[in-house]
mmCIF file of all heavy atoms in Angstrom:
data_model
loop_
_atom_site.group_PDB
_atom_site.id
_atom_site.type_symbol
_atom_site.label_atom_id
_atom_site.label_comp_id
_atom_site.label_asym_id
_atom_site.label_seq_id
_atom_site.Cartn_x
_atom_site.Cartn_y
_atom_site.Cartn_z
ATOM 1 N N THR A 225 155.809 113.461 201.267
ATOM 2 C CA THR A 225 154.976 112.378 200.747
ATOM 3 C C THR A 225 155.826 111.319 200.062
ATOM 4 O O THR A 225 155.592 110.115 200.210
ATOM 5 C CB THR A 225 153.931 112.940 199.763
ATOM 6 O OG1 THR A 225 153.022 113.765 200.483
ATOM 7 C CG2 THR A 225 153.146 111.824 199.109
ATOM 8 N N ILE A 226 156.826 111.755 199.307
ATOM 9 C CA ILE A 226 157.723 110.804 198.636
ATOM 10 C C ILE A 226 158.458 109.955 199.666
ATOM 11 O O ILE A 226 158.591 108.734 199.513
ATOM 12 C CB ILE A 226 158.725 111.567 197.741
ATOM 13 C CG1 ILE A 226 157.973 112.382 196.686
ATOM 14 C CG2 ILE A 226 159.694 110.608 197.072
ATOM 15 C CD1 ILE A 226 158.856 113.300 195.870
ATOM 16 N N ILE A 227 158.938 110.603 200.731
ATOM 17 C CA ILE A 227 159.671 109.881 201.785
ATOM 18 C C ILE A 227 158.754 108.873 202.475
ATOM 19 O O ILE A 227 159.115 107.702 202.660
ATOM 20 C CB ILE A 227 160.245 110.880 202.808
ATOM 21 C CG1 ILE A 227 161.226 111.836 202.122
ATOM 22 C CG2 ILE A 227 160.902 110.150 203.968
ATOM 23 C CD1 ILE A 227 161.696 112.968 203.015
ATOM 24 N N ILE A 228 157.559 109.321 202.841
ATOM 25 C CA ILE A 228 156.626 108.441 203.544
ATOM 26 C C ILE A 228 156.198 107.284 202.646
ATOM 27 O O ILE A 228 156.126 106.132 203.091
ATOM 28 C CB ILE A 228 155.395 109.241 204.024
ATOM 29 C CG1 ILE A 228 155.828 110.292 205.061
ATOM 30 C CG2 ILE A 228 154.344 108.318 204.628
ATOM 31 C CD1 ILE A 228 154.718 111.230 205.479
ATOM 32 N N GLU A 229 155.917 107.572 201.371
ATOM 33 C CA GLU A 229 155.489 106.513 200.440
ATOM 34 C C GLU A 229 156.573 105.443 200.299
ATOM 35 O O GLU A 229 156.280 104.242 200.357
ATOM 36 C CB GLU A 229 155.174 107.126 199.075
ATOM 37 C CG GLU A 229 154.743 106.095 198.043
ATOM 38 C CD GLU A 229 154.612 106.686 196.654
ATOM 39 O OE1 GLU A 229 154.727 107.920 196.516
ATOM 40 O OE2 GLU A 229 154.406 105.913 195.696
ATOM 41 N N TYR A 230 157.814 105.886 200.121
ATOM 42 C CA TYR A 230 158.914 104.915 199.975
ATOM 43 C C TYR A 230 159.069 104.087 201.244
ATOM 44 O O TYR A 230 159.239 102.858 201.182
ATOM 45 C CB TYR A 230 160.214 105.655 199.663
ATOM 46 C CG TYR A 230 161.429 104.747 199.655
ATOM 47 C CD1 TYR A 230 161.712 103.940 198.561
ATOM 48 C CD2 TYR A 230 162.275 104.686 200.769
ATOM 49 C CE1 TYR A 230 162.821 103.096 198.553
ATOM 50 C CE2 TYR A 230 163.373 103.842 200.783
ATOM 51 C CZ TYR A 230 163.645 103.053 199.664
ATOM 52 O OH TYR A 230 164.736 102.208 199.678
ATOM 53 N N ALA A 231 159.007 104.733 202.413
ATOM 54 C CA ALA A 231 159.173 104.015 203.682
ATOM 55 C C ALA A 231 158.034 103.013 203.887
ATOM 56 O O ALA A 231 158.271 101.875 204.320
ATOM 57 C CB ALA A 231 159.237 105.006 204.836
ATOM 58 N N LEU A 232 156.793 103.411 203.585
ATOM 59 C CA LEU A 232 155.643 102.514 203.764
ATOM 60 C C LEU A 232 155.738 101.306 202.829
ATOM 61 O O LEU A 232 155.419 100.176 203.224
ATOM 62 C CB LEU A 232 154.339 103.271 203.508
ATOM 63 C CG LEU A 232 153.965 104.358 204.528
ATOM 64 C CD1 LEU A 232 152.681 105.048 204.115
ATOM 65 C CD2 LEU A 232 153.818 103.772 205.919
ATOM 66 N N LYS A 233 156.167 101.538 201.591
ATOM 67 C CA LYS A 233 156.330 100.414 200.652
ATOM 68 C C LYS A 233 157.412 99.447 201.139
ATOM 69 O O LYS A 233 157.255 98.226 201.056
ATOM 70 C CB LYS A 233 156.681 100.947 199.264
ATOM 71 C CG LYS A 233 155.518 101.592 198.525
ATOM 72 C CD LYS A 233 155.948 102.063 197.137
ATOM 73 C CE LYS A 233 154.781 102.645 196.364
ATOM 74 N NZ LYS A 233 155.190 103.147 195.030
ATOM 75 N N ASP A 234 158.505 100.011 201.649
ATOM 76 C CA ASP A 234 159.589 99.160 202.142
ATOM 77 C C ASP A 234 159.141 98.365 203.364
ATOM 78 O O ASP A 234 159.446 97.169 203.494
ATOM 79 C CB ASP A 234 160.801 100.035 202.485
ATOM 80 C CG ASP A 234 162.014 99.212 202.889
ATOM 81 O OD1 ASP A 234 162.412 98.329 202.094
ATOM 82 O OD2 ASP A 234 162.546 99.428 203.993
ATOM 83 N N ILE A 235 158.401 99.005 204.262
ATOM 84 C CA ILE A 235 157.881 98.303 205.442
ATOM 85 C C ILE A 235 156.957 97.169 205.028
ATOM 86 O O ILE A 235 157.007 96.063 205.583
ATOM 87 C CB ILE A 235 157.141 99.307 206.361
ATOM 88 C CG1 ILE A 235 158.152 100.271 206.999
ATOM 89 C CG2 ILE A 235 156.349 98.582 207.444
ATOM 90 C CD1 ILE A 235 157.502 101.428 207.738
ATOM 91 N N HIS A 236 156.102 97.435 204.034
ATOM 92 C CA HIS A 236 155.163 96.405 203.559
ATOM 93 C C HIS A 236 155.906 95.249 202.884
ATOM 94 O O HIS A 236 155.595 94.066 203.125
ATOM 95 C CB HIS A 236 154.162 97.038 202.601
ATOM 96 C CG HIS A 236 153.213 96.061 201.986
ATOM 97 N ND1 HIS A 236 152.165 95.500 202.682
ATOM 98 C CD2 HIS A 236 153.176 95.512 200.732
ATOM 99 C CE1 HIS A 236 151.513 94.667 201.897
ATOM 100 N NE2 HIS A 236 152.101 94.658 200.710
ATOM 101 N N ASN A 237 156.869 95.573 202.019
ATOM 102 C CA ASN A 237 157.586 94.524 201.275
ATOM 103 C C ASN A 237 158.417 93.635 202.196
ATOM 104 O O ASN A 237 158.594 92.448 201.924
ATOM 105 C CB ASN A 237 158.487 95.161 200.216
ATOM 106 C CG ASN A 237 157.689 95.878 199.137
ATOM 107 O OD1 ASN A 237 156.534 95.531 198.874
ATOM 108 N ND2 ASN A 237 158.288 96.881 198.497
ATOM 109 N N ARG A 238 158.915 94.171 203.284
ATOM 110 C CA ARG A 238 159.723 93.395 204.225
ATOM 111 C C ARG A 238 158.869 92.672 205.265
ATOM 112 O O ARG A 238 159.403 91.956 206.112
ATOM 113 C CB ARG A 238 160.718 94.314 204.925
ATOM 114 C CG ARG A 238 161.831 94.836 204.007
ATOM 115 C CD ARG A 238 162.524 96.040 204.611
ATOM 116 N NE ARG A 238 163.036 95.764 205.954
ATOM 117 C CZ ARG A 238 163.413 96.702 206.808
ATOM 118 N NH1 ARG A 238 163.320 97.989 206.456
ATOM 119 N NH2 ARG A 238 163.873 96.377 207.990
ATOM 120 N N GLY A 239 157.560 92.872 205.196
ATOM 121 C CA GLY A 239 156.652 92.191 206.129
ATOM 122 C C GLY A 239 156.810 92.634 207.570
ATOM 123 O O GLY A 239 156.578 91.842 208.492
ATOM 124 N N LEU A 240 157.168 93.914 207.774
ATOM 125 C CA LEU A 240 157.420 94.381 209.136
ATOM 126 C C LEU A 240 156.126 94.623 209.915
ATOM 127 O O LEU A 240 156.127 94.570 211.142
ATOM 128 C CB LEU A 240 158.238 95.683 209.101
ATOM 129 C CG LEU A 240 159.643 95.604 208.498
ATOM 130 C CD1 LEU A 240 160.348 96.944 208.642
ATOM 131 C CD2 LEU A 240 160.458 94.503 209.174
ATOM 132 N N VAL A 241 155.033 94.899 209.201
ATOM 133 C CA VAL A 241 153.792 95.251 209.886
ATOM 134 C C VAL A 241 153.285 94.083 210.720
ATOM 135 O O VAL A 241 152.935 94.239 211.892
ATOM 136 C CB VAL A 241 152.725 95.711 208.869
ATOM 137 C CG1 VAL A 241 151.399 96.008 209.599
ATOM 138 C CG2 VAL A 241 153.196 96.944 208.122
ATOM 139 N N ASP A 242 153.242 92.876 210.121
ATOM 140 C CA ASP A 242 152.733 91.712 210.850
ATOM 141 C C ASP A 242 153.603 91.395 212.068
ATOM 142 O O ASP A 242 153.091 91.099 213.151
ATOM 143 C CB ASP A 242 152.676 90.497 209.916
ATOM 144 C CG ASP A 242 151.616 90.672 208.834
ATOM 145 O OD1 ASP A 242 150.629 91.388 209.093
ATOM 146 O OD2 ASP A 242 151.784 90.105 207.742
#
Side-chain angles (χ1 to χ4, degrees):
T225 294
I226 300 173
I227 299 172
I228 296 174
E229 179 188 353
Y230 173 79
L232 292 178
K233 286 181 177 178
D234 185 55
I235 291 171
H236 176 74
N237 295 334
R238 290 163 55 195
L240 297 184
V241 177
D242 292 332

